[in-house]
Amino acid sequence: MPDNTVQAAYTAIHDVYIDLFGSPTDLPPEDTAFALTHLAPGPVLDLGCGPGHFTKFLTDVGIPTTGIDLVPEFITHARSNYPDIAFELGSIRTLDTPAESVPGLLAWFSLIHMDPADLPTVLAEFHRVLTPGGRLVIGFFESTDAVEPFPHKVTTAYRWPTDRLAETLHTAGFTELARLHHPASGDTRPHAALAVIKA
């Protein structure tokens, strides 16, 4: 899905999104522990940082982190609430970052609206900016059998079988380190995370 479509969709509901998900306390402990295990000591780019809640969490535990997001309202909120943290307005498709300059990348549900055909190009960009041995942590919605679109509340999103996404990452030059699964529970869809290292 094009960046401008995603940006417009999140701009339209940014207040609701911030109220529901905008605090570091909204992050499940399993998820933050997984990210810490694989991204410390940083520095880290939080790609698609939204209102900056994961950026704030990582910074508070001693991992220098910069947040990047498409949505101006999210960046304005993050800068206002966390003035000592760097936040940048921009696309994760084309990072204004030198090659092999960043030890860690977090893409926490920030790839879910991306057309699967576009993902290899974006992963190549992630690979470009990571240092040798740099690490990437991805959060995503999980499916059983196939990559498939679904009607996310903001705009169309895609869910991936974990093995299929791991294969896509391997093709892009990454080696899997670990995975985390969350089964469906109540209104929560099954979701997962992968940690990989630049090969």
Side-chain angles (χ1 to χ4, degrees):
M1 186 168 293
D3 279 356
N4 59 346
T5 302
V6 175
Q7 178 184 332
Y10 277 93
T11 293
I13 55 88
H14 71 274
D15 285 335
V16 174
Y17 188 94
I18 290 168
D19 286 343
L20 290 174
F21 306 113
S23 170
T25 59
D26 295 323
L27 296 165
E30 278 186 284
D31 293 342
T32 53
F34 187 81
L36 285 176
T37 296
H38 299 289
L39 294 175
V44 169
L45 293 182
D46 183 2
L47 304 174
C49 67
H53 49 308
F54 221 134
T55 318
K56 169 65 170 170
F57 173 83
L58 292 174
T59 301
D60 282 353
V61 296
I63 300 175
T65 305
T66 297
I68 300 173
D69 203 273
L70 275 175
V71 180
E73 291 81 1
F74 285 162
I75 295 299
T76 297
H77 171 88
R79 287 172 173 167
S80 174
N81 282 271
Y82 315 124
D84 296 330
I85 301 175
F87 291 95
E88 300 173 4
L89 184 66
S91 171
I92 65 175
R93 295 173 184 264
T94 307
L95 299 171
D96 186 19
T97 307
E100 299 189 346
S101 64
V102 183
L105 299 176
L106 177 66
W108 199 249
F109 290 85
S110 53
L111 301 175
I112 62 171
H113 301 295
M114 191 165 291
D115 190 301
D118 294 341
L119 188 59
T121 300
V122 175
L123 293 179
E125 177 70 349
F126 292 0
H127 194 276
R128 180 188 71 81
V129 303
L130 277 173
T131 57
R135 297 185 176 197
L136 165 66
V137 172
I138 296 179
F140 59 99
F141 289 109
E142 189 175 39
S143 64
T144 303
D145 299 318
V147 181
E148 57 189 12
F150 70 93
H152 186 274
K153 289 182 179 179
V154 180
T155 188
T156 301
Y158 296 86
R159 47 190 167 212
W160 286 72
T162 301
D163 286 343
R164 177 75 177 276
L165 184 54
E167 290 169 5
T168 301
L169 287 158
H170 179 75
T171 300
F174 295 95
T175 300
E176 182 179 342
L177 296 171
R179 58 179 65 184
L180 175 68
H181 295 278
H182 292 286
S185 176
D187 295 332
T188 303
R189 299 180 179 93
H191 53 291
L194 280 166
V196 297
I197 189 169
K198 179 177 177 175

